[in-house]
């Protein structure tokens, strides 16, 4: 390994540059990760476009789904994390303090003392290498790591984050149980992950919505266990709520997961498609737009509406167990692999902006 590390830096909306940074000096309590793969999230697309509220006025190394091999680690860090050089680990976005009341009671995502985060911290926060769009990533003392089988293909192992979202949103926040009818609004990688998680949790009927352009994703949803798919646009577009009514013979859905990016109508559809007393999980970011919310529907239908923020340790661990089990053909979800020099094209591919490419899961392999 050389004395410098190459990384892709987002310097503004739609602008990424390759830069070199000094290799961090590792002490007793931190480490260095050789990045194998970093999955690209829909939020990366919106951040790249400048749609989300994250501060991108400062140059930042993106990549909040890093997977890699422990290259170097201090003795104290190795003992704390239970890892050694050569182990493969997946990282969480949040780097909590581990000492505040929130952290000590398991609510570390609310930690008020977090200073850094993977893929979201600017490069002026030393030692700069916080994101997975880099050959190496700095492992600070507060980093949350999860070991994962080294025998898995990197592009499949790198799905721990979207699958973790599916587990958390469907099973933990949605409470999907045996025999439940589940409606998933949105057929992206996290929508597909929700299908996997709902099927693993014992759902009875799974319904997924998508656009005409999502035909390949809806086909994969059926392969993963969806019972019905609904195309909501185009000449043959169906009304989501009415179709759910038909499928359920009027009973509607026990759990509805709203995952669509930037769209307003699916939020209302989610409230209308849930049964009386049902549960609605809102996870689709809308870029700060004001979305009309029909609160009378929530009240009169006695709905439980939950906001989904990220993925926690429990969800990551359960997602990794699903990946390692080999129960689902998750390799079918991975469509594109890119090197470090092609990060911008990778994001544009996931966004559907590259003609002829049908992307679902896209990953950056900085050392490939």
């Amino acid at each position: 390994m050389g004395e410098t590390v190459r990384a892709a830096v987002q310097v503004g909306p739609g602008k990424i540059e390759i830069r070199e940074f000094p290799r961090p000096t590792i002490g007793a309590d931190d480490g260095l990760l050789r990045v194998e793969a970093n999955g690209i999230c829909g939020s990366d697309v919106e951040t790249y476009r400048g749609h989300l509220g994250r501060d991108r006025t400062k140059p930042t190394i993106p990549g909040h789904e890093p997977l890699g091999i422990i290259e170097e680690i201090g003795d104290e860090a190795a003992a704390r994390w239970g890892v050694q050089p050569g182990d493969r680990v997946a990282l969480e976005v949040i780097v909590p303090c581990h000492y505040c009341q929130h952290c000590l009671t398991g609510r570390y995502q609310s930690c008020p003392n977090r200073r850094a985060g993977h893929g979201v911290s600017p490069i002026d926060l030393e030692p700069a290498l916080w994101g997975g769009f880099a050959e190496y990533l700095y492992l600070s003392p507060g980093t949350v790591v999860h070991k994962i089988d080294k025998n898995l293909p990197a592009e499949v192992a790198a799905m721990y984050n979207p699958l973790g979202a599916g587990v958390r949103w469907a099973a933990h926040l949605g409470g999907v149980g045996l025999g439940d009818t589940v409606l998933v609004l949105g057929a992206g990688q996290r929508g597909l992950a929700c299908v996997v998680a709902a099927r693993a949790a014992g759902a009875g009927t799974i319904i997924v919505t998508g656009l005409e352009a999502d035909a390949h994703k809806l086909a994969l949803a059926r392969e993963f266990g969806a019972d019905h798919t609904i195309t909501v646009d185009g000449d043959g577009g169906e009304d989501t709520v009415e179709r759910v009514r038909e499928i359920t013979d009027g009973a509607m859905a026990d759990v509805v997961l709203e995952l669509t990016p930037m769209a307003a109508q699916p939020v209302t559809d989610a409230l209308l498609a849930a049964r009386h007393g049902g549960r609605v999980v809102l996870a689709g970011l809308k870029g700060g737009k004001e979305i009309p919310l029909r609160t009378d529907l929530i009240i009169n239908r006695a709905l439980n509406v939950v906001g989904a923020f990220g993925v926690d340790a429990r969800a990551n661990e359960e997602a990794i167990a699903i990946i390692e089990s080999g129960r689902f053909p998750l390799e079918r979800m991975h469509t594109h692999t890119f090197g470090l020099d092609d990060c911008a094209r990778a994001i544009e591919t996931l966004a559907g902006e590259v003609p002829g490419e049908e992307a679902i899961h896209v990953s950056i392999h900085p050392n490939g």
Side-chain angles (χ1 to χ4, degrees):
M1 177 179 174
E3 294 303 312
T4 60
V5 176
R6 296 176 74 243
V9 181
Q10 178 159 343
V11 297
K15 297 180 180 179
I16 290 181
E17 299 176 354
I18 301 298
R19 298 186 183 179
E20 292 191 356
F21 297 88
R23 171 185 172 177
T25 299
I26 302 305
D29 205 28
D30 51 9
L32 195 66
L33 184 78
R34 175 169 56 84
V35 180
E36 289 183 282
N38 191 107
I40 301 178
C41 173
S43 65
D44 289 316
V45 173
E46 301 307 331
T47 300
Y48 176 72
R49 291 168 168 167
H51 290 168
L52 292 187
R54 291 181 191 164
D55 179 9
R56 281 293 185 265
T57 59
K58 292 184 177 181
T60 302
I61 300 171
H64 61 269
E65 302 179 9
L67 169 89
I69 303 297
I70 300 288
E71 179 79 12
E72 185 178 352
I73 192 167
D75 291 341
E76 293 179 16
R80 180 177 62 253
W81 291 326
V83 298
Q84 296 295 329
D87 286 344
R88 172 186 270 177
V89 297
L91 308 186
E92 295 196 16
V93 182
I94 292 173
V95 181
C97 74
H98 298 279
Y99 297 106
C100 71
Q101 186 66 16
H102 289 287
C103 288
L104 292 176
T105 53
R107 294 179 288 114
Y108 67 94
Q109 289 184 310
S110 302
C111 175
N113 304 319
R114 52 185 181 174
R115 220 166 52 91
H118 298 122
V120 297
S121 293
I123 59 175
D124 62 6
L125 180 63
E126 294 185 355
L129 298 171
W130 296 101
F133 288 12
E135 294 173 325
Y136 292 86
L137 185 150
Y138 174 65
L139 299 174
S140 65
T143 298
V144 181
V145 306
H146 300 276
K147 290 179 70 173
I148 187 166
D149 188 352
K150 286 177 64 174
N151 295 315
L152 292 168
E155 61 272 15
V156 173
M159 293 180 190
Y160 71 92
N161 183 280
L163 189 54
V167 169
R168 178 165 166 76
W169 301 348
H172 300 170
L173 298 180
V176 173
L178 294 176
D180 280 347
T181 295
V182 181
L183 171 63
V184 181
L185 298 166
Q189 54 185 290
R190 280 160 180 75
L192 294 172
C194 285
V195 173
V196 170
R199 184 53 69 209
T205 302
I206 301 174
I207 309 164
V208 182
T209 71
L211 306 175
E212 278 188 334
D214 297 327
H216 60 297
K217 299 175 184 177
L218 293 174
L220 191 54
R222 293 189 292 271
E223 190 172 336
F224 283 168
D227 300 284
H228 304 274
T229 55
I230 303 171
T231 302
V232 300
D233 66 341
D235 293 338
E238 299 178 284
D239 182 283
T240 298
V241 178
E242 289 308 310
R243 187 73 183 100
V244 171
R245 195 183 313 279
E246 292 173 7
I247 292 169
T248 64
D249 197 23
M252 310 308 284
D254 298 293
V255 180
V256 182
L257 309 171
E258 200 289 301
L259 315 181
T260 65
M262 311 301 287
Q265 183 58 43
V267 176
T268 299
D269 288 344
L271 302 179
L272 288 169
R275 66 167 174 79
H276 190 276
R279 199 165 185 84
V280 177
V281 178
L282 302 178
L285 292 171
K286 310 304 181 184
K289 294 193 302 183
E290 292 188 9
I291 302 296
L293 184 65
R294 295 173 60 180
T295 54
D296 284 358
L297 288 175
I298 299 172
I299 296 167
N300 292 327
R301 297 171 69 82
L303 300 177
N304 295 286
V305 180
V306 181
F309 175 71
V311 186
D312 63 8
R314 176 188 170 196
N316 275 312
E317 289 291 335
E318 292 179 9
I320 289 170
I322 290 174
I323 294 171
E324 291 179 340
S325 75
R327 176 179 172 186
F328 296 90
L330 297 174
E331 66 281 355
R332 300 272 290 113
M333 194 160 72
H334 181 77
T335 55
H336 294 78
T337 298
F338 290 90
L340 190 62
D341 294 319
D342 293 319
C343 287
R345 186 170 180 82
I347 295 172
E348 292 162 1
T349 298
L350 182 65
E353 297 171 358
V354 179
E357 299 294 337
E358 294 184 334
I360 301 178
H361 181 264
V362 179
S363 56
I364 300 293
H365 296 234
N367 290 284

